[in-house]
Amino acid sequence: MSRLPPTQPQSDPALAEVHAEIVQTRGFVSNALGAIGHAPEGLKHLARLGAYVKYQTALPERMREFSILCSARGVPYAWQHHSVLALQAGIAQSAIDDVGAGRIPTALPPAEQAIARYIAELFAPPYVSDATQAEMAKHYTPRQITDVALSATYYRALGTMVMAFRVELESDEVLGQ
């Protein structure tokens, strides 16, 4: 059960405006984004970053979903959403299982292994190693590396709030699964 009461966009014009913007980009307001509606202005900015990392990066769909998946590890809400999307984007189930277990999927090409390693190090202090940064630079442009970092940190931040608020996963019907 969620720790916060549901938001009421019909009684808050600022929140209704943000919800309309989210629906325009995503088709619906997820429980995760809906839970942040108690701060409509913050939700607006977070949702815009989310729309960027989901739909406007310089990453091909497969790399985008793999980046999101790597950052979703340990966040059940995000994992359930994005493990299905990663599979649909062509990531093998065995690679998804490896990421879920905290392993770099060695069956994937070096460019994708570099993403997994980069995101693992991004969230493991103190920083991304020089060797991992150099490996990323072999496969990706500076913009793509920045997009990987933005995607990972957005989904990790959203996932952290989802866990703190105990947001419930949408039904399969809502998710279209």
Side-chain angles (χ1 to χ4, degrees), residues 2 25 48 75 83 103 135:
S2 182
T25 60
R48 286 178 178 170
V75 181
S83 59
R103 298 185 297 266
E135 184 67 19

Side-chain angles (χ1 to χ4, degrees), residues 23-44:
V23 168
Q24 225 175 16
T25 60
R26 295 166 175 83
F28 75 106
V29 178
S30 68
N31 291 349
L33 291 176
I36 302 166
H38 293 283
E41 192 66 22
L43 173 58
K44 176 171 66 174

